[in-house]
Amino acid sequence: AQCLPSLPLLLLMSAKVWSLFLLLAILLFACQPAATPQPTVQPLRVQLTPLLAESWLPKLNACSEYLTLSNLLIEVREASELDLQSADLIIRTSADLGAEQAGTYLGAERLALVVNPENPIVSLSQEEAIALLSGAYAQWKEVPSSAASAQAFDQPVKLVFLVDQDLDAFISTAFPSLEISPSMGEKAYSVEMAQQLIAETPGAIGLLPASALTPALKEVQLFDASNQLITWQLHVLGLTPIEPVGDMLQLLLCLQR
């Protein structure tokens, strides 16, 4: 008759098999690579002025795709409220690049002299533009370029002043002798308000960032005394509290493109 293993022998064999399985599982677990710790994403705090918001917020959002360890936290502040102690990057304008002691040059923000589309004027001399902004003309037909055109524009000049510290700095630096009084025209406390006022007033004129141009506005070209086309612009700088490295450096390089 065939001999069957006794119960104690079966238990002993089962214990050995389970011991082998346990040893194999321990060896396999020990051979697994250690889990790589995930990098911690840090906020990268950016401050910029209202004048730059229209054109530079899309650039910042596009460049954020190149950041690997940071998330952008963007805040729009007036120029006088920018603070490097509470920001990793400040983006601001400069009317006089030669006077700057620090910062990374990011580009330029073009300024546009804007009128209502009903105004037939297409160009002005810089002298005429400065005179208009200073309130020297009460009627558009008094402006030599307008009077010389085939269709003199019989409308009162309505100055629209965008209340903005960057624009004030540009005007005071580029035209130090230009005296502008808020009583000469109407104040606009946002780009949107300035756009609406100019679009609704046939004789309106104002200085806005070129990024604020819409089909409801018309830009007037400017020429110097030699009849050369000129551009009014502000330089744009990026300032950091420490030497930029890593994601900050990548962001600045992206914004320069």
Side-chain angles (χ1 to χ4, degrees):
Q2 185 176 2
C3 295
L4 296 174
S6 63
L7 182 59
L9 181 59
L10 286 172
L11 293 174
L12 180 60
M13 292 175 62
S14 297
K16 288 183 177 180
V17 170
W18 281 110
S19 297
L20 287 173
F21 274 120
L22 181 60
L23 179 61
L24 181 61
I26 292 174
L27 290 174
L28 287 174
F29 182 79
C31 291
Q32 293 296 322
T36 304
Q38 294 298 317
T40 302
V41 177
Q42 298 291 333
L44 198 159
R45 302 162 301 171
V46 180
Q47 296 176 8
L48 73 162
T49 57
L51 190 78
L52 299 176
E54 183 77 21
S55 55
W56 288 84
L57 282 177
K59 294 179 184 179
L60 284 165
N61 290 328
C63 289
S64 66
E65 298 180 3
Y66 296 95
L67 308 182
T68 57
L69 299 175
S70 306
N71 283 331
L72 292 184
L73 295 179
I74 304 172
E75 185 179 5
V76 178
R77 291 187 175 192
E78 291 292 343
S80 61
E81 298 174 357
L82 298 174
D83 180 17
L84 269 180
Q85 292 185 349
S86 60
D88 302 301
L89 171 64
I90 283 177
I91 301 177
R92 66 167 178 81
T93 65
S94 172
D96 185 4
L97 198 59
E100 298 294 338
Q101 301 297 321
T104 301
Y105 185 77
L106 300 179
E109 183 71 20
R110 190 171 69 83
L111 302 177
L113 196 63
V114 178
V115 298
N116 184 282
E118 292 184 25
N119 194 328
I121 199 84
V122 294
S123 64
L124 292 166
S125 68
Q126 179 166 262
E127 183 180 0
E128 290 171 334
I130 294 172
L132 278 163
L133 292 176
S134 64
Y137 299 116
Q139 297 285 328
W140 274 99
K141 60 185 178 182
E142 299 173 2
V143 182
S145 291
S146 177
S149 66
Q151 182 184 1
F153 193 48
D154 190 13
Q155 286 285 339
V157 175
K158 178 71 172 181
L159 296 174
V160 175
F161 292 113
L162 175 60
V163 179
D164 184 272
Q165 294 175 1
D166 287 333
L167 282 182
D168 292 345
F170 167 78
I171 292 173
S172 61
T173 301
F175 315 111
S177 61
L178 182 61
E179 295 183 5
I180 293 181
S181 171
S183 61
M184 296 178 184
E186 188 164 354
K187 290 183 179 180
Y189 294 95
S190 68
V191 170
E192 292 77 15
M193 184 177 178
Q195 290 170 326
Q196 182 177 356
L197 287 172
I198 296 172
E200 293 176 348
T201 311
I205 183 171
L207 186 62
L208 298 177
S211 57
L213 286 169
T214 70
L217 303 175
K218 175 182 170 182
E219 182 179 7
V220 177
Q221 292 185 320
L222 299 175
F223 290 88
D224 62 15
S226 302
N227 206 31
Q228 298 294 314
L229 184 66
I230 59 175
T231 300
W232 288 353
Q233 66 181 16
L234 286 162
H235 304 287
V236 181
L237 299 177
L239 289 87
T240 57
I242 59 175
E243 188 72 21
V245 295
D247 274 355
M248 177 60 72
L249 182 59
Q250 290 300 318
L251 179 60
L252 291 173
L253 291 173
C254 178
L255 292 173
Q256 286 180 320
R257 294 174 191 156

